[in-house]
Amino acid sequence: MPSAETSNRREPTMNVLPRKIDFLEMEEKWQQIWEEDGVYRYDWDDETRPVFSVDTPPPYPSGDFHMGNMLNHTYFDMRARYKRMRGYNVLFPQGWDCHGLPTEVAVEKAKGIRKSDVPPDVFRKMCEEWIEQYIGVMKTAVIRMGASIDWTTEYRTMEPEYMRKIQLSFLQLYEKDMIYKGEHPINWCPRCETAIADAEVEHDTKQGRIYTIPFETPDGEVLIATTRPVYLPACVAMGVHPDDERYRHLIGEKAKVPLFNQEIPIIANVEVDPNFGTGAMMICTYGDKADVVAVARYKLPVVKLIDGTGVLHDVAGKYAGMQIQEGQKSVVNDLREAGFIKEEKELEQEVGLCWRCDTPIEIVTAKQWFMRTISLTDKVLETANAITWYPDWMRQRLINWATGLDWDWVLSRQRVFATPVPAWYCKKCGKIRLAKSEELPVDPRVTMINDTCECGDTEFIPDNDVMDTWFDSSMTCAIHAGWPDKPNWRRQYPASVHPSGQDIIRTWAYYLMVRSLALFDETAYDSVLINGMVFGDDGRMMSKSLGNYVATPEVFSKYGADAPRQWAAAGGSTGTDIPFRWEDVEYGWRFQRKLWNACRFAGMRLEDFDPSENVEPTLIDKWIVTKLEKTVKRATETMEECDFMNASEAARNFIWHVFCDHYLEAAKTRLYGEGDAKKSAQQTLYYIVKQMIKLMAPITPHITEEIWRTMYNSDVSIHISPWPEYNEGLVDEEAEKIGDLIIAAISDIRREKNRKGVSLNALVKEAKIYADPEQAVFLRMGFQDIKDTLKIEALEIIEGEGGESKLEDYPSVGFSMVI
RNA sequence: GGGCCGGUCGUCCAGCCUGGUUAGGACGCCGCCUUUACGAGGCGGAGGUCGCAGGUUCAAGUCCUGCCCGGCCCA
């Protein structure tokens, strides 16, 4: 038989949070449970909820998930989490962008071989094994940071399935005449021995020399300044500005190239800057991009000067066989000896460098695969203008890039570890035999085709080229959506958000866009979410060589994920570069402790709370609820705009400085007491805590989950619970106004106690507050709150002026006290 | 040379679009407070010609023009 005491006791509504908690252990616990419970699974069959699809950037598995990855992943994870709480069916996939030269180089080094030493499929296998070990490391980091990924979607761009889709898109683009093979000037890295795209060329200034040399013309010598005399044998014209009085009469005449003696035409070219050098320039095939433009415009002949390894061809005469730098030296020496160098001086010049190895790039003509992109520029601009950019001004980056492009996209690369071009050529007539879709995936270097060419021949030679790795990654939106196999892939397409670092807008965002327009005549994504670069705490770009580098495992093992996530959210405006600062992470950590303790206190005061009982809320309770609702409104508006910084600020400021500092202090006495005043405080606490942890849930998913599940006894994750709706019905402007005054009175009197060197808890024998009639009425409404919070034995509220001190924000209110 | 972004206490970052009390926050610094959620906390203090110069306006950190400095991208 139960005793009277126990029979009166109800089951506690809430579980109280423990005093001590190991945040790191707690985080890993939830990461495991989320995965086991499939909390973040996308429902492919759901026809009711709206879809929100994230075009997760597949990281290159370098084995180093750095703070930049952390920033980037936190941004779109917060977006995904917010949208999920807003009722969206969120598709948040994760892939790994495996192909690429760095792996080839690493494998060559590790195995002590060159890629050409073994068959391509064997080398490929080595690369696959190499990269796989890093995927594990990267995946651990992505899980550890608390990304709400649906891991059933995981993929690798090196998988046959993925390559099949890439090759299929290649075939489809070919059919649409959007892919072609052509002879065209391209950027060429002599060291990597491969074509590279514009986007892979980095620019730098180098100290060089500029030589002034004479060209013989019917009107005597014309001096030309050039940095690259080695290109003289490939000189095909002299260009002068048509308005340049010095040379105008020479247009249409011939000039003789020094040392090599070929005759070249003198042409009018408006691109020539009459003020640069001597005002006359030589056009060579190809010294630089300006040459490419001029040669095309004036239909000049092309002289192939260098081969794929940067060695000079026969046309260079006695210099043939030399490396280009060596040739440059010899030509300069010979020019000097022959007295052809009239002047030479130092010049800071722009050079294009290979993004991988920093080797100066050359421009060569070669047969390569291209995708038509220039013809789509108008559509790209139109689409860039139509979609949403976070932040808005980033739109211009894509527009500038697309507008400035000169060439189509060079797709082919002369490498091994990448998606092969699915093509063979008839040995006899040379006709292209493309793979058929049912033959995919295929590596022509390994698999020979059994077919008969139109010419009757049955022998084929493989295309040895592979594709730019951006050709792999610029299909992510479609492949994430389920293209081409899932019949309803268009439900997930275009992607709702394409996240990107500002540095790869010109590559990833651009290629995705142009590819989607070519293939589907539609945008690939509806919005772009940009993150800036991460700087070290010394204000410079974070890098290992500068010594300002911070590795994520170091951060995770000290502070877990929720604290650095707060840094990522609040470290700076979306899209801008932000410094990594340990102080920001530590601040996040301290916020978590504060949140934890506040919720623990709330839980303890709610143990005997009965949610079914409703009482009329007191003034201060209405006040805090109003503050909360306004915070919900602000947090919702900012989250909608991907303004994570202000969303964090709104939530953290409310929790720490409004709820903890003011409300809890003011409500404490009631919570320790009895009756309706206590019940009102309890029902308020119950509501506030639930709402406020939800505001933090997308930012700090672990701690909010722990609090939610413990305190609210929920079997369902906070992350699929509804986001707080702004409830205007709970906003009480009058209560806020009066509450502000009462809180100000408490706060200022408390401060005064502090100034006098006594604790808040110390008893005040007597206090008098002086106020005008209206304010006196307001203050009387908070009489008990003021008296209890400040431990005043005798409180008097008096109409009129007086008191030793004034309230800071209400100069008409004065007070004095006796301790 | 062009485009974009930035220049705000010692440091980092908000505020600028939509002009309006005393320009906020964090870190750091200094001082005070053992307070039954939290001392890994609370309270307070010092610290700012809002890059420079003009202009618009009753009013400019905010809008306009020019310039200087820094970053990124491009030529």
CSV table of all heavy atoms in Angstrom, one decimal, chain B residues 47-65:
chain,number,residue,atom,x,y,z
B,47,G,P,38.3,56.4,-21.6
B,47,G,OP1,39.0,57.7,-21.7
B,47,G,OP2,36.8,56.4,-21.5
B,47,G,O5',38.8,55.5,-22.7
B,47,G,C5',40.2,55.3,-23.0
B,47,G,C4',40.4,54.2,-24.0
B,47,G,O4',39.8,53.0,-23.4
B,47,G,C3',39.6,54.3,-25.3
B,47,G,O3',40.3,55.1,-26.2
B,47,G,C2',39.5,52.9,-25.8
B,47,G,O2',40.6,52.5,-26.4
B,47,G,C1',39.3,52.1,-24.5
B,47,G,N9,37.8,51.9,-24.2
B,47,G,C8,37.0,52.7,-23.5
B,47,G,N7,35.8,52.2,-23.4
B,47,G,C5,35.9,51.0,-24.0
B,47,G,C6,34.9,50.0,-24.2
B,47,G,O6,33.7,50.0,-23.9
B,47,G,N1,35.4,48.9,-24.9
B,47,G,C2,36.7,48.8,-25.3
B,47,G,N2,37.0,47.6,-25.9
B,47,G,N3,37.6,49.7,-25.1
B,47,G,C4,37.1,50.8,-24.5
B,48,G,P,39.6,56.4,-26.9
B,48,G,OP1,40.7,57.2,-27.5
B,48,G,OP2,38.6,57.0,-26.0
B,48,G,O5',38.8,55.7,-28.1
B,48,G,C5',39.5,55.0,-29.1
B,48,G,C4',38.6,55.0,-30.3
B,48,G,O4',37.4,54.2,-30.0
B,48,G,C3',38.2,56.3,-30.8
B,48,G,O3',39.0,56.8,-31.8
B,48,G,C2',36.7,56.1,-31.4
B,48,G,O2',36.7,56.2,-32.7
B,48,G,C1',36.4,54.7,-30.9
B,48,G,N9,35.1,54.5,-30.3
B,48,G,C8,34.4,55.3,-29.4
B,48,G,N7,33.3,54.8,-29.0
B,48,G,C5,33.2,53.6,-29.7
B,48,G,C6,32.1,52.6,-29.8
B,48,G,O6,31.1,52.6,-29.2
B,48,G,N1,32.5,51.6,-30.7
B,48,G,C2,33.6,51.5,-31.4
B,48,G,N2,33.8,50.5,-32.2
B,48,G,N3,34.6,52.4,-31.4
B,48,G,C4,34.3,53.4,-30.5
B,49,U,P,39.5,58.4,-31.7
B,49,U,OP1,40.5,58.7,-32.7
B,49,U,OP2,39.7,58.6,-30.3
B,49,U,O5',38.1,59.2,-32.1
B,49,U,C5',37.6,58.9,-33.4
B,49,U,C4',37.4,60.3,-34.1
B,49,U,O4',38.7,61.0,-34.0
B,49,U,C3',37.1,60.2,-35.5
B,49,U,O3',35.7,60.0,-35.7
B,49,U,C2',37.6,61.5,-36.1
B,49,U,O2',36.7,62.5,-35.9
B,49,U,C1',38.8,61.7,-35.3
B,49,U,N1,40.0,61.1,-35.9
B,49,U,C2,40.7,61.9,-36.8
B,49,U,O2,40.3,63.0,-37.1
B,49,U,N3,41.8,61.3,-37.4
B,49,U,C4,42.3,60.1,-37.2
B,49,U,O4,43.3,59.7,-37.8
B,49,U,C5,41.5,59.3,-36.2
B,49,U,C6,40.5,59.8,-35.6
B,50,C,P,35.0,59.4,-37.0
B,50,C,OP1,35.7,59.9,-38.2
B,50,C,OP2,33.6,59.6,-36.8
B,50,C,O5',35.3,57.8,-36.8
B,50,C,C5',36.3,57.2,-37.5
B,50,C,C4',35.8,55.8,-37.9
B,50,C,O4',34.7,55.4,-37.1
B,50,C,C3',35.2,55.7,-39.3
B,50,C,O3',35.6,54.5,-39.9
B,50,C,C2',33.7,55.7,-39.1
B,50,C,O2',33.0,55.0,-40.1
B,50,C,C1',33.6,55.0,-37.8
B,50,C,N1,32.3,55.4,-37.0
B,50,C,C2,31.3,54.4,-37.0
B,50,C,O2,31.4,53.4,-37.6
B,50,C,N3,30.2,54.7,-36.3
B,50,C,C4,30.1,55.9,-35.7
B,50,C,N4,29.0,56.2,-35.0
B,50,C,C5,31.1,56.9,-35.7
B,50,C,C6,32.2,56.6,-36.4
B,51,G,P,35.8,54.4,-41.5
B,51,G,OP1,34.9,55.2,-42.3
B,51,G,OP2,35.9,53.0,-41.7
B,51,G,O5',37.3,55.0,-41.8
B,51,G,C5',38.4,54.8,-41.0
B,51,G,C4',39.6,55.3,-41.6
B,51,G,O4',39.9,54.4,-42.8
B,51,G,C3',39.5,56.7,-42.2
B,51,G,O3',39.8,57.7,-41.2
B,51,G,C2',40.6,56.6,-43.4
B,51,G,O2',41.9,56.8,-42.9
B,51,G,C1',40.4,55.2,-43.9
B,51,G,N9,39.4,55.1,-44.9
B,51,G,C8,38.2,54.4,-44.9
B,51,G,N7,37.5,54.5,-46.0
B,51,G,C5,38.3,55.3,-46.8
B,51,G,C6,38.1,55.8,-48.1
B,51,G,O6,37.1,55.5,-48.9
B,51,G,N1,39.1,56.6,-48.6
B,51,G,C2,40.2,57.0,-47.8
B,51,G,N2,41.1,57.8,-48.4
B,51,G,N3,40.4,56.5,-46.6
B,51,G,C4,39.4,55.7,-46.2
B,52,C,P,39.0,59.1,-41.3
B,52,C,OP1,39.4,59.8,-40.0
B,52,C,OP2,37.6,58.8,-41.6
B,52,C,O5',39.7,59.8,-42.5
B,52,C,C5',41.1,60.2,-42.5
B,52,C,C4',41.4,60.8,-43.8
B,52,C,O4',41.3,59.9,-44.9
B,52,C,C3',40.5,62.0,-44.2
B,52,C,O3',40.8,63.2,-43.6
B,52,C,C2',40.7,62.0,-45.7
B,52,C,O2',42.0,62.7,-46.0
B,52,C,C1',40.8,60.6,-46.1
B,52,C,N1,39.5,60.0,-46.5
B,52,C,C2,39.1,60.2,-47.8
B,52,C,O2,39.8,60.9,-48.5
B,52,C,N3,37.9,59.7,-48.2
B,52,C,C4,37.2,59.0,-47.4
B,52,C,N4,36.0,58.5,-47.8
B,52,C,C5,37.6,58.8,-46.0
B,52,C,C6,38.8,59.3,-45.6
B,53,A,P,39.6,64.2,-43.3
B,53,A,OP1,40.2,65.3,-42.5
B,53,A,OP2,38.4,63.5,-42.8
B,53,A,O5',39.3,64.8,-44.7
B,53,A,C5',40.3,65.5,-45.5
B,53,A,C4',39.8,65.8,-46.8
B,53,A,O4',39.6,64.6,-47.6
B,53,A,C3',38.4,66.5,-46.9
B,53,A,O3',38.5,67.8,-46.5
B,53,A,C2',38.0,66.3,-48.3
B,53,A,O2',38.6,67.2,-49.2
B,53,A,C1',38.5,64.8,-48.5
B,53,A,N9,37.5,63.8,-48.3
B,53,A,C8,37.2,63.1,-47.1
B,53,A,N7,36.2,62.3,-47.2
B,53,A,C5,35.8,62.5,-48.5
B,53,A,C6,34.7,61.9,-49.3
B,53,A,N6,33.9,60.9,-48.8
B,53,A,N1,34.6,62.3,-50.6
B,53,A,C2,35.4,63.2,-51.1
B,53,A,N3,36.4,63.8,-50.5
B,53,A,C4,36.6,63.4,-49.2
B,54,G,P,37.1,68.6,-46.1
B,54,G,OP1,37.5,69.9,-45.4
B,54,G,OP2,36.2,67.7,-45.5
B,54,G,O5',36.6,69.0,-47.6
B,54,G,C5',35.2,69.1,-47.8
B,54,G,C4',34.9,68.9,-49.2
B,54,G,O4',35.3,67.6,-49.6
B,54,G,C3',33.4,68.9,-49.5
B,54,G,O3',32.9,70.2,-49.6
B,54,G,C2',33.3,68.0,-50.7
B,54,G,O2',33.7,68.7,-51.9
B,54,G,C1',34.3,67.0,-50.4
B,54,G,N9,33.7,65.9,-49.6
B,54,G,C8,34.0,65.6,-48.3
B,54,G,N7,33.3,64.6,-47.8
B,54,G,C5,32.5,64.2,-48.9
B,54,G,C6,31.5,63.2,-49.0
B,54,G,O6,31.2,62.4,-48.1
B,54,G,N1,30.9,63.2,-50.3
B,54,G,C2,31.2,64.1,-51.3
B,54,G,N2,30.6,63.9,-52.4
B,54,G,N3,32.2,65.0,-51.2
B,54,G,C4,32.7,65.0,-50.0
B,55,G,P,31.7,70.7,-48.8
B,55,G,OP1,31.5,72.1,-48.9
B,55,G,OP2,31.8,70.0,-47.4
B,55,G,O5',30.5,69.9,-49.6
B,55,G,C5',30.4,70.2,-51.0
B,55,G,C4',29.4,69.1,-51.6
B,55,G,O4',30.0,67.8,-51.4
B,55,G,C3',28.1,69.1,-50.9
B,55,G,O3',27.2,70.1,-51.4
B,55,G,C2',27.6,67.7,-51.4
B,55,G,O2',27.2,67.7,-52.8
B,55,G,C1',28.9,66.9,-51.3
B,55,G,N9,29.0,66.2,-50.0
B,55,G,C8,29.8,66.4,-48.9
B,55,G,N7,29.6,65.5,-48.0
B,55,G,C5,28.6,64.7,-48.4
B,55,G,C6,28.0,63.6,-47.8
B,55,G,O6,28.2,63.1,-46.7
B,55,G,N1,27.0,63.0,-48.6
B,55,G,C2,26.7,63.5,-49.9
B,55,G,N2,25.7,62.8,-50.5
B,55,G,N3,27.2,64.5,-50.5
B,55,G,C4,28.2,65.1,-49.7
B,56,U,P,26.1,70.7,-50.5
B,56,U,OP1,25.5,71.9,-51.1
B,56,U,OP2,26.7,70.8,-49.1
B,56,U,O5',25.0,69.5,-50.5
B,56,U,C5',24.4,69.1,-51.7
B,56,U,C4',23.4,68.0,-51.4
B,56,U,O4',24.2,66.8,-51.1
B,56,U,C3',22.5,68.2,-50.3
B,56,U,O3',21.3,69.0,-50.6
B,56,U,C2',22.1,66.7,-49.9
B,56,U,O2',21.1,66.2,-50.8
B,56,U,C1',23.4,66.0,-50.2
B,56,U,N1,24.2,65.9,-48.9
B,56,U,C2,23.9,64.9,-48.1
B,56,U,O2,23.0,64.1,-48.3
B,56,U,N3,24.7,64.8,-46.9
B,56,U,C4,25.7,65.6,-46.6
B,56,U,O4,26.3,65.4,-45.5
B,56,U,C5,26.0,66.7,-47.5
B,56,U,C6,25.2,66.8,-48.6
B,57,U,P,20.9,70.2,-49.7
B,57,U,OP1,19.8,70.9,-50.3
B,57,U,OP2,22.2,70.9,-49.3
B,57,U,O5',20.4,69.4,-48.4
B,57,U,C5',19.3,68.6,-48.4
B,57,U,C4',19.1,67.8,-47.2
B,57,U,O4',20.3,67.0,-46.9
B,57,U,C3',19.1,68.7,-45.9
B,57,U,O3',17.9,69.3,-45.7
B,57,U,C2',19.5,67.7,-44.8
B,57,U,O2',18.4,66.9,-44.5
B,57,U,C1',20.5,66.8,-45.6
B,57,U,N1,21.9,67.2,-45.3
B,57,U,C2,22.5,66.6,-44.2
B,57,U,O2,22.0,65.7,-43.6
B,57,U,N3,23.8,67.0,-44.0
B,57,U,C4,24.5,68.0,-44.6
B,57,U,O4,25.7,68.2,-44.3
B,57,U,C5,23.8,68.6,-45.7
B,57,U,C6,22.5,68.2,-46.0
B,58,C,P,17.8,70.8,-45.2
B,58,C,OP1,16.4,71.2,-45.3
B,58,C,OP2,18.9,71.6,-45.9
B,58,C,O5',18.2,70.7,-43.7
B,58,C,C5',18.6,71.9,-42.9
B,58,C,C4',18.7,71.5,-41.4
B,58,C,O4',17.4,71.0,-40.9
B,58,C,C3',19.6,70.3,-41.2
B,58,C,O3',21.0,70.7,-41.1
B,58,C,C2',19.1,69.7,-39.9
B,58,C,O2',19.6,70.5,-38.8
B,58,C,C1',17.6,70.0,-40.0
B,58,C,N1,16.9,68.8,-40.6
B,58,C,C2,16.7,67.7,-39.7
B,58,C,O2,17.2,67.7,-38.6
B,58,C,N3,16.0,66.6,-40.2
B,58,C,C4,15.5,66.6,-41.4
B,58,C,N4,14.9,65.6,-41.8
B,58,C,C5,15.7,67.7,-42.3
B,58,C,C6,16.4,68.8,-41.8
B,59,A,P,22.1,69.8,-41.8
B,59,A,OP1,23.4,70.4,-41.5
B,59,A,OP2,21.7,69.5,-43.2
B,59,A,O5',22.0,68.4,-40.9
B,59,A,C5',22.5,68.5,-39.6
B,59,A,C4',22.2,67.1,-38.9
B,59,A,O4',20.8,66.8,-39.0
B,59,A,C3',22.9,65.9,-39.7
B,59,A,O3',24.2,65.8,-39.2
B,59,A,C2',22.0,64.8,-39.2
B,59,A,O2',22.3,64.3,-37.9
B,59,A,C1',20.6,65.4,-39.2
B,59,A,N9,19.8,65.2,-40.4
B,59,A,C8,19.6,66.1,-41.4
B,59,A,N7,18.8,65.6,-42.4
B,59,A,C5,18.5,64.3,-41.9
B,59,A,C6,17.7,63.3,-42.5
B,59,A,N6,17.0,63.4,-43.6
B,59,A,N1,17.5,62.2,-41.8
B,59,A,C2,18.2,62.1,-40.6
B,59,A,N3,19.0,63.0,-40.0
B,59,A,C4,19.1,64.1,-40.7
B,60,A,P,25.3,65.3,-40.3
B,60,A,OP1,26.6,65.4,-39.6
B,60,A,OP2,25.1,66.0,-41.6
B,60,A,O5',24.9,63.8,-40.5
B,60,A,C5',25.0,62.8,-39.4
B,60,A,C4',25.6,61.5,-39.9
B,60,A,O4',24.9,61.1,-41.1
B,60,A,C3',27.1,61.7,-40.3
B,60,A,O3',27.7,60.5,-40.1
B,60,A,C2',27.0,61.9,-41.8
B,60,A,O2',28.1,61.5,-42.5
B,60,A,C1',25.8,61.1,-42.2
B,60,A,N9,25.0,61.5,-43.4
B,60,A,C8,25.1,62.7,-44.1
B,60,A,N7,24.4,62.7,-45.1
B,60,A,C5,23.7,61.5,-45.1
B,60,A,C6,22.7,61.0,-46.0
B,60,A,N6,22.2,61.6,-47.1
B,60,A,N1,22.3,59.7,-45.7
B,60,A,C2,22.8,59.1,-44.7
B,60,A,N3,23.7,59.5,-43.8
B,60,A,C4,24.1,60.7,-44.1
B,61,G,P,28.4,60.2,-38.7
B,61,G,OP1,27.4,60.1,-37.6
B,61,G,OP2,29.5,61.2,-38.5
B,61,G,O5',29.1,58.8,-38.9
B,61,G,C5',30.2,58.6,-39.7
B,61,G,C4',30.3,57.2,-40.2
B,61,G,O4',30.0,56.3,-39.1
B,61,G,C3',29.3,56.9,-41.3
B,61,G,O3',29.8,57.2,-42.5
B,61,G,C2',29.1,55.4,-41.1
B,61,G,O2',30.1,54.7,-41.7
B,61,G,C1',29.3,55.3,-39.5
B,61,G,N9,28.0,55.3,-38.8
B,61,G,C8,27.5,56.2,-38.0
B,61,G,N7,26.3,56.0,-37.5
B,61,G,C5,26.0,54.7,-38.0
B,61,G,C6,24.9,53.9,-37.9
B,61,G,O6,23.9,54.1,-37.2
B,61,G,N1,24.9,52.7,-38.6
B,61,G,C2,26.0,52.4,-39.4
B,61,G,N2,25.9,51.3,-40.1
B,61,G,N3,27.1,53.2,-39.6
B,61,G,C4,27.0,54.3,-38.9
B,62,U,P,28.9,57.7,-43.7
B,62,U,OP1,29.6,57.6,-44.9
B,62,U,OP2,28.2,59.0,-43.3
B,62,U,O5',27.7,56.6,-43.7
B,62,U,C5',27.9,55.3,-44.2
B,62,U,C4',26.7,54.5,-44.2
B,62,U,O4',26.2,54.6,-42.8
B,62,U,C3',25.5,55.0,-45.1
B,62,U,O3',24.9,53.9,-45.8
B,62,U,C2',24.6,55.7,-44.1
B,62,U,O2',23.2,55.6,-44.5
B,62,U,C1',24.8,54.9,-42.8
B,62,U,N1,24.5,55.8,-41.6
B,62,U,C2,23.5,55.4,-40.8
B,62,U,O2,22.7,54.5,-41.0
B,62,U,N3,23.3,56.3,-39.8
B,62,U,C4,24.0,57.4,-39.4
B,62,U,O4,23.7,58.0,-38.4
B,62,U,C5,25.1,57.6,-40.3
B,62,U,C6,25.4,56.8,-41.3
B,63,C,P,25.4,53.6,-47.2
B,63,C,OP1,24.8,52.3,-47.6
B,63,C,OP2,26.9,53.8,-47.3
B,63,C,O5',24.8,54.8,-48.0
B,63,C,C5',23.4,54.7,-48.5
B,63,C,C4',23.1,55.9,-49.3
B,63,C,O4',22.9,57.0,-48.4
B,63,C,C3',24.2,56.4,-50.3
B,63,C,O3',24.2,55.6,-51.5
B,63,C,C2',23.8,57.8,-50.5
B,63,C,O2',22.8,58.0,-51.4
B,63,C,C1',23.3,58.2,-49.1
B,63,C,N1,24.4,58.8,-48.2
B,63,C,C2,24.9,60.1,-48.5
B,63,C,O2,24.4,60.7,-49.5
B,63,C,N3,25.8,60.6,-47.8
B,63,C,C4,26.4,60.0,-46.7
B,63,C,N4,27.3,60.5,-46.0
B,63,C,C5,25.9,58.6,-46.4
B,63,C,C6,24.9,58.1,-47.2
B,64,C,P,25.6,55.4,-52.3
B,64,C,OP1,25.3,54.5,-53.3
B,64,C,OP2,26.7,55.2,-51.3
B,64,C,O5',25.8,56.9,-52.9
B,64,C,C5',24.9,57.4,-53.9
B,64,C,C4',25.5,58.7,-54.4
B,64,C,O4',25.4,59.7,-53.3
B,64,C,C3',26.9,58.7,-54.8
B,64,C,O3',27.1,58.2,-56.1
B,64,C,C2',27.3,60.2,-54.6
B,64,C,O2',26.9,60.9,-55.7
B,64,C,C1',26.5,60.6,-53.4
B,64,C,N1,27.3,60.4,-52.2
B,64,C,C2,28.2,61.4,-51.8
B,64,C,O2,28.3,62.4,-52.6
B,64,C,N3,28.9,61.3,-50.7
B,64,C,C4,28.7,60.3,-49.9
B,64,C,N4,29.5,60.3,-48.8
B,64,C,C5,27.8,59.2,-50.2
B,64,C,C6,27.1,59.3,-51.3
B,65,U,P,28.5,57.5,-56.5
B,65,U,OP1,28.3,56.9,-57.8
B,65,U,OP2,28.9,56.6,-55.4
B,65,U,O5',29.5,58.7,-56.6
B,65,U,C5',29.3,59.7,-57.6
B,65,U,C4',30.4,60.7,-57.4
B,65,U,O4',30.2,61.5,-56.2
B,65,U,C3',31.8,60.2,-57.3
B,65,U,O3',32.4,59.8,-58.6
B,65,U,C2',32.6,61.3,-56.7
B,65,U,O2',32.9,62.4,-57.6
B,65,U,C1',31.5,61.8,-55.7
B,65,U,N1,31.7,61.2,-54.3
B,65,U,C2,32.6,61.8,-53.5
B,65,U,O2,33.3,62.8,-53.8
B,65,U,N3,32.7,61.2,-52.2
B,65,U,C4,32.0,60.1,-51.8
B,65,U,O4,32.2,59.7,-50.6
B,65,U,C5,31.1,59.6,-52.7
B,65,U,C6,30.9,60.1,-53.9
